[in-house]
């Protein structure tokens, strides 16, 4: 019956080409046909068998002679937002009752989504998502200081029907709402909570920071459109990290570890060039969210713990070249140091040793930033 | 009060050019500058060197333009007028009236909502990264996470940031401190099959340490600050590693602080 339309698109590829479904990868039929990959889905999806048949474009064998109904019904139930492709895919199986069909259609969508969640964490699936990622199919981080870091679709829940799809930025380890409203109806569970991080752990060598050529290209285009002045001075202020940084910290390559965070990547509110003081009632309260140690060893908790346990003297593991602190700090920081004395937390003590910025240093940094 | 500011602008003379400018597509971020403000020369100090065809442009903006110019020149003047309007706009929006107008737009979400999921669609404010024109385009500041974002629409991405300036949003909250939103210390925790990812979690612990230091620094100024989660009685949605210590810090802060800061809700 379906062959009457020539060689139609498969259900999967028509589903993935729908408006708003641009984030989906096309799950290979081999993956779906392996029953092991579908373990447990039967109980989650109503009309599982029919839905699966629909996804795989398998003709139902037994109910070929079921009564047919007029297509008007079809329109009514499917409604306006149902795209044409759906109907076309459905019409191929017009042996079914129309209302039945829309039930199965939505079941098939759900089933496909849940299979998709598993597929993109499998080897072929994650590879397919890598291609989409590299082609920037998922967009870039809206945060200014992430410099257009490419993002990945993720869910906040693995249970369908809870939240829509979000975008995970590896540069700032945060999630954002997709800018285009067409994605605001895509279920986040179809991508799952695991995918985002697993992806970057699977491809640890993937350069996630703003590439040099990319930033250059954007600078050039900006200059071309506005020939008067050079790009904003923020980028050149990024000083290199201390020399003896580990190549890898906590299983992530240092260069790929949150390139959108830390010194120079934190926004400071200013009034006429002066930073708003923390002592202001409406002063900055959220800088911690975008902080990152300049000295990556501060995140090696095991090492710190061992060294604290061994009661080694201060300065023992003070790396060279971080005289000006692990963060750009406010003048209040010195007071903080005094307060920190009272506290016993090893984290804090460690930090005090590592970075005790002198006020004059900081002044010059801030002075340079004004302008 | 705020309605007064809006309704009393140019009641008799319809401001054709400004009306058109403010309501045209892509200029949704701008508010209408009062005629009084534009005609006060003091407010325009220094702009005559910045804007070509300054006098014509000003005439156009204030609807007294009557030069019989050819299309080419007219286009030039039109461009200058938009530039002039933008530069005056940056000055206007930090005045009492301007702030009130922009506040109105902020409350209506005219500048969009924060894309960060944890901010739950908090309204944004336009800002520039430089006060000099042609340096960078307009960005959007979220007062909840105190970070800046690119506008999602390309028609806004080409607006000069200097038309809003670097200081506007900070001044707004200095003038209306009660509107400063409560901050949240929730964050996104990357997980793999339900397990936290160590690299992200270690960074989060390190950042949490700084967040607690904030309480101590503020205590030095006899101030306290509470995040939303801290002012709620129970905090079961998210559990923090350093929770017990955080609670202890709070107690000490409460003891040392002479007066609780009014967060304005």
């Amino acid at each position: 019956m379906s062959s009457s339309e020539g060689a139609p698109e498969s259900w999967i590829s028509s589903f993935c080409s729908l408006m708003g479904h641009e984030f989906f990868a096309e799950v290979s039929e081999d993956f779906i046909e392996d029953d092991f990959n579908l373990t447990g889905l039967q109980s989650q999806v109503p009309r599982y068998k029919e839905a699966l048949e629909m996804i795989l474009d398998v003709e139902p064998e037994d109910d070929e002679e079921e009564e047919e109904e007029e297509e008007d019904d079809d329109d009514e139930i499917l409604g306006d937002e149902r795209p044409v492709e759906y109907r076309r895919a459905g019409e191929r199986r017009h042996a079914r009752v129309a209302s039945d069909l829309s039930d199965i259609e939505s079941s098939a969508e759900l089933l496909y989504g849940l299979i998709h969640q598993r597929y993109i964490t499998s080897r072929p699936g994650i590879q397919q998502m890598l291609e989409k990622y590299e082609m920037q199919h998922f967009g870039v981080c809206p945060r200014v200081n992430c410099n257009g870091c490419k993002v990945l679709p993720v869910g906040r829940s693995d249970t369908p029907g809870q939240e829509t799809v979000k975008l995970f930025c590896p540069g700032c380890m945060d999630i954002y709402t997709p800018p285009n409203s067409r994605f605001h109806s895509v279920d986040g569970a179809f991508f799952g909570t695991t995918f985002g991080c697993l992806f970057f752990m699977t491809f640890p060598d993937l350069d996630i920071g703003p590439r040099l050529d990319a930033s250059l290209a954007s600078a050039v285009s900006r200059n071309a459109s506005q020939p008067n002045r050079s790009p904003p001075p923020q980028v050149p202020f990024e000083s290199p990290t201390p020399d003896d940084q580990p190549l890898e910290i906590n299983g992530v390559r240092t260069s790929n570890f949150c390139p959108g965070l830390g010194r120079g990547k934190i926004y400071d509110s200013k009034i006429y060039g002066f930073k708003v003081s923390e002592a202001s009632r409406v002063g900055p309260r959220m800088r911690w969210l975008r902080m990152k140690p300049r000295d990556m060893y501060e995140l090696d908790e095991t090492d710190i713990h061992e060294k604290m346990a061994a009661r080694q003297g201060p300065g023992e593991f003070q790396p060279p070249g971080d005289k000006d602190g692990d963060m750009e700090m406010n003048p209040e920081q010195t007071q903080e140091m005094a307060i920190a004395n009272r506290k016993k937390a090893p984290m804090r003590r460690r930090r005090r040793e590592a970075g005790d910025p002198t006020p004059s240093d900081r002044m010059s940094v801030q002075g340079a930033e004004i302008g | 009060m705020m309605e007064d500011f809006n309704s009393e602008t140019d009641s008799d003379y319809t401001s054709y050019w400004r009306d058109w400018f403010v309501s045209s597509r892509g200029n949704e971020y701008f508010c209408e500058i009062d005629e009084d403000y534009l005609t006060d020369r003091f407010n325009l100090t220094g702009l005559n060197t910045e804007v070509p065809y300054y006098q014509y442009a000003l005439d156009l903006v204030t609807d007294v333009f009557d030069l019989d110019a050819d299309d080419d020149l007219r286009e030039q003047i039109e461009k200058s007028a938009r530039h002039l309007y933008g530069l005056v706009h940056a000055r206007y929006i930090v005045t009492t009236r301007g702030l009130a107008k922009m506040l109105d737009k902020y409350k209506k979400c005219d500048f969009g909502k924060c894309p960060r999921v944890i901010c739950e669609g908090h309204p944004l404010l336009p800002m520039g990264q430089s006060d000099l024109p042609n340096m960078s385009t307009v960005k959007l500041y979220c007062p909840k996470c105190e970070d800046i974002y690119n506008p999602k629409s390309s028609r806004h991405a080409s607006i000069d940031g200097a038309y809003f300036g670097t200081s506007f949003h900070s001044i707004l909250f200095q003038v209306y401190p009660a509107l400063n939103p409560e901050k949240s210390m929730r964050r996104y925790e990357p997980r793999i099959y339900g397990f936290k990812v160590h690299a992200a979690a270690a960074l989060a612990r390190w950042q949490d340490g700084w967040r607690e230091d904030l309480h101590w620094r503020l205590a030095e100024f006899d101030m306290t600050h509470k995040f939303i989660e801290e002012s709620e009685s129970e905090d079961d949605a998210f559990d923090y590693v350093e929770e017990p210590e955080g609670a202890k810090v709070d107690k000490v802060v409460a003891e040392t602080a002479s007066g609780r800061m009014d967060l304005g809700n």
Side-chain angles (χ1 to χ4, degrees):
Chain A
M1 272 182 188
S2 65
S3 52
S4 60
E5 277 191 332
E9 259 186 312
S10 70
W11 186 91
I12 293 175
S13 58
S14 74
F15 176 84
C16 292
S17 61
L18 288 183
M19 175 101 153
H21 290 190
E22 290 85 348
F23 291 167
F24 284 97
E26 288 192 27
V27 181
S28 69
E29 295 198 357
D30 299 350
F31 186 86
I32 303 175
E33 277 159 5
D34 186 341
D35 276 345
F36 176 76
N37 292 328
L38 309 180
T39 308
L41 294 184
Q42 192 149 12
S43 60
Q44 284 191 62
V45 181
R47 315 200 61 164
Y48 171 79
K49 189 168 169 287
E50 290 101 321
L52 188 60
E53 279 169 352
M54 183 178 268
I55 290 174
L56 292 172
D57 297 298
V58 177
E59 271 317 291
E61 298 122 14
D62 45 352
D63 45 8
E64 245 174 87
E65 297 310 313
E66 226 174 271
E67 73 267 48
E68 278 188 44
E69 258 180 45
E70 66 275 33
E71 294 290 296
D72 313 13
D73 238 34
D74 192 14
D75 284 348
E76 216 171 83
I77 291 146
L78 292 175
D80 279 334
E81 79 255 12
R82 284 302 163 123
V84 189
E85 281 90 337
Y86 264 152
R87 226 166 291 153
R88 192 151 49 77
E91 276 162 13
R92 279 189 264 129
R93 257 164 259 96
H94 49 78
R96 292 204 179 278
V97 186
S99 63
D100 221 31
L101 203 62
S102 77
D103 272 3
I104 298 172
E105 187 72 56
S106 61
S107 282
E109 254 183 87
L110 175 65
L111 179 61
Y112 184 79
L114 292 172
I115 296 171
H116 185 266
Q117 182 201 105
R118 300 178 176 191
Y119 176 68
I120 55 175
T121 57
S122 74
R123 195 182 287 269
I126 210 161
Q127 198 67 42
Q128 214 176 316
M129 289 303 258
L130 174 68
E131 281 162 33
K132 285 172 81 74
Y133 172 82
E134 288 191 320
M135 288 160 79
Q136 213 171 298
H137 279 188
F138 310 120
V140 295
C141 184
R143 190 169 163 263
V144 172
N145 284 329
C146 279
N147 278 325
C149 189
K150 281 181 280 190
V151 293
L152 273 187
V154 295
R156 294 189 74 192
S157 164
D158 288 319
T159 319
Q162 298 208 330
E163 277 198 67
T164 59
V165 67
K166 309 292 179 211
L167 298 171
F168 172 68
C169 172
C172 54
M173 288 275 182
D174 215 334
I175 47 170
Y176 299 95
T177 311
N180 199 319
S181 59
R182 74 171 83 151
F183 299 114
H184 295 181
S185 55
V186 178
D187 199 318
F190 295 173
F191 297 90
T193 56
T194 299
F195 170 63
C197 246
L198 189 69
F199 180 87
F200 292 107
M201 293 181 100
T202 310
F203 306 108
D205 296 327
L206 205 62
D207 187 15
I208 60 168
R211 291 197 195 90
L212 195 65
D213 52 293
S215 65
L216 248 156
S218 73
V220 165
S221 70
R222 206 176 319 154
N223 277 339
S225 58
Q226 298 162 339
N228 285 11
R229 289 169 180 114
S230 55
Q234 217 150 7
V235 189
F237 275 94
E238 180 67 337
S239 53
T241 43
D243 295 335
D244 62 338
Q245 286 301 289
L247 205 62
E248 205 179 271
I249 186 77
N250 296 335
V252 182
R253 294 191 59 181
T254 308
S255 58
N256 268 347
F257 184 62
C258 299
L261 298 183
R263 186 189 173 87
K265 302 283 187 182
I266 304 172
Y267 173 69
D268 287 305
S269 290
K270 286 178 195 161
I271 296 182
Y272 301 127
F274 298 97
K275 279 188 195 170
V276 178
S277 163
E278 223 165 44
S280 162
R281 214 174 138 192
V282 291
R285 299 286 181 267
M286 295 295 287
R287 298 184 88 249
W288 53 272
L289 184 67
R290 306 305 193 194
M291 280 179 166
K292 184 176 82 171
R294 289 197 69 208
D295 177 14
M296 284 298 159
Y297 285 110
E298 284 188 44
L299 296 177
D300 195 346
E301 293 172 340
T302 329
D303 187 53
I304 292 169
H305 176 79
E306 275 166 12
K307 280 182 171 149
M308 290 309 289
R311 282 276 172 270
Q312 283 172 329
E316 183 75 20
F317 41 91
Q318 180 164 351
D322 73 352
K323 193 175 117 283
D324 54 350
D326 44 5
M327 273 285 121
E328 78 185 279
M329 286 175 201
N330 303 321
E332 298 94 272
Q333 216 66 51
T334 37
Q335 281 167 320
E336 183 268 324
M337 296 307 166
I339 304 157
N341 277 332
R342 283 179 240 146
K343 294 188 258 181
K344 293 184 203 75
M347 280 277 293
R348 211 150 284 117
R349 190 179 305 174
R350 167 82 187 93
R351 194 180 308 128
R352 189 162 41 79
E353 287 156 6
D356 197 353
T358 52
S360 59
D361 253 15
R362 264 175 273 117
M363 290 301 282
S364 65
V365 168
Q366 286 175 21
E369 270 178 6
I370 294 169
Chain B
M1 182 88 155
M2 266 154 252
E3 283 75 8
D4 284 347
F5 285 137
N6 283 333
S7 56
E8 78 182 352
T9 50
D10 316 307
S11 48
D12 287 343
Y13 305 94
T14 328
S15 57
Y16 291 112
W17 193 89
R18 277 169 289 149
D19 217 37
W20 163 80
F21 179 80
V22 170
S23 57
S24 58
R25 199 171 146 81
N27 292 341
E28 292 86 354
Y29 291 171
F30 291 94
C31 70
E32 194 173 330
I33 306 173
D34 290 330
E35 177 109 44
D36 316 352
Y37 191 85
L38 272 167
T39 47
D40 186 340
R41 285 287 168 137
F42 176 75
N43 295 327
L44 310 176
T45 309
L47 294 185
N48 52 347
T49 57
E50 187 65 54
V51 181
Y53 304 108
Y54 170 74
Q55 193 52 53
Y56 291 135
L58 184 59
D59 287 351
L60 189 59
V61 172
T62 50
D63 298 314
V64 293
F65 184 75
D66 57 355
L67 180 74
D68 207 12
D70 58 43
D71 285 358
D72 234 26
L73 183 63
R74 179 143 187 125
E75 203 173 297
Q76 288 284 316
I77 294 171
E78 183 69 40
K79 209 177 142 207
S80 287
R82 286 197 293 267
H83 189 49
L84 175 68
Y85 189 88
L87 294 174
V88 180
H89 188 264
R91 300 179 178 190
Y92 176 70
I93 56 174
V94 296
T95 63
T96 312
R97 280 175 172 223
L99 279 175
K101 278 189 184 179
M102 290 301 264
L103 183 61
D104 226 37
K105 288 172 79 70
Y106 165 70
K107 283 177 173 169
K108 284 191 288 180
C109 275
D110 279 359
F111 311 115
K113 293 174 173 176
C114 183
R116 185 169 172 260
V117 173
I118 310 290
C119 286
E120 293 169 333
H122 197 276
L124 297 165
L125 284 168
M127 58 89 61
Q129 286 176 295
S130 166
D131 287 312
L132 299 170
N134 301 324
M135 292 281 279
S136 73
T137 58
V138 67
K139 310 289 178 217
L140 298 166
Y141 171 80
C142 172
K144 189 151 176 148
C145 58
E146 296 174 3
D147 211 336
I148 50 173
Y149 300 96
N150 291 308
K152 65 179 182 181
S153 165
S154 57
R155 65 173 187 269
H156 296 136
S158 56
I159 301 175
D160 199 320
Y163 298 166
F164 300 90
T166 57
S167 315
F168 156 66
H169 64 85
S170 309
I171 293 174
L172 183 84
F173 288 109
Q174 293 286 341
V175 175
Y176 300 98
L179 289 171
N180 198 27
E182 266 194 292
K183 321 284 169 162
S184 172
M185 57 186 198
R186 280 165 61 205
R187 67 161 93 238
Y188 173 64
E189 284 174 338
R191 282 169 192 264
I192 290 183
Y193 299 119
F195 298 99
K196 283 189 204 172
V197 179
H198 179 58
L203 179 67
R205 282 190 287 272
W206 183 89
Q207 289 174 336
D208 286 350
W210 281 102
R211 193 187 61 223
E212 271 152 35
D213 286 346
L214 175 74
H215 287 294
W216 286 91
R217 287 200 301 278
L218 291 176
E220 290 288 299
F221 303 114
D222 283 348
M223 294 173 81
T224 72
H225 176 257
K226 279 192 183 295
F227 290 94
I228 297 174
E229 291 75 17
E230 292 171 312
S231 33
E232 281 164 4
S233 48
E234 77 272 344
D235 186 9
D236 43 7
F238 285 78
D239 59 315
Y240 289 93
V241 182
E242 300 190 58
E243 179 110 308
E245 200 194 320
K248 198 177 73 200
V249 171
D250 273 350
K251 221 175 87 200
V252 181
V253 167
E255 280 163 15
T256 50
S258 58
R260 265 273 279 120
M261 190 177 60
D262 178 19
L263 282 171
N265 357 267

